[in-house]
Amino acid sequence: MDSLELLTHPVRLRIVHAMSGGRTHTTAQLCALVPGSSKATVYRHVDLLTSGGVLEIVDERRVRGAVERRYRLRRERASIDGTTVTPPDHRQIFVAAMATLLAEFDAYITDDRADPVDDLVGYRQHSLWLDPDELAQLIAGMRAAITPHLDNAATPDRSEYLLSPILFPLDRRGDATQ
């Protein structure tokens, strides 16, 4: 299974999100982190991600006669090279990302502890007019702001947030004066 097919399934994307930040989890722990999916579904997708090299087994131990495995994300394998995919592939990636985003938000908002105001939940869209240099500067600035935080470890004083920047041109016809 190629990385496009492997990473464009909403359950697998949710597993990848749950494994971010250098964390390790067992499949049983992942079942709790991916609510709305059956244990069999999570186990099957963990197996696919492991076979595809996106997850690696960190350790194994016997628990009540069964082998319990702890997994870690191989971040370098958990991405799709956007320069080699076709427009229909981009559509598939976008749909999977949106389905994942919706599932993650639904899991958050239905939790009794959810407090969108205190948690500073935000969802805004901005339409920007940018020339190619301004676009490159915007992207570089966003990367500079986000990249230093990607490897933050989970600690008791940190909360996990899902950040989903989405950027695409609204009109490819190009005439701003119409």
Side-chain angles (χ1 to χ4, degrees), residues 129-142:
W129 289 94
L130 303 168
D131 66 31
D133 289 339
E134 291 167 331
L135 177 59
Q137 288 173 358
L138 175 68
I139 292 170
M142 290 171 59

Side-chain angles (χ1 to χ4, degrees), residues 109-148:
I109 203 70
T110 58
D111 188 308
D112 292 338
R113 299 166 296 172
D115 188 340
V117 174
D118 279 354
D119 293 338
L120 301 176
V121 171
Y123 26 84
R124 292 173 177 74
Q125 293 181 337
H126 306 280
S127 178
L128 309 171
W129 289 94
L130 303 168
D131 66 31
D133 289 339
E134 291 167 331
L135 177 59
Q137 288 173 358
L138 175 68
I139 292 170
M142 290 171 59
R143 285 182 180 153
I146 296 167
T147 302

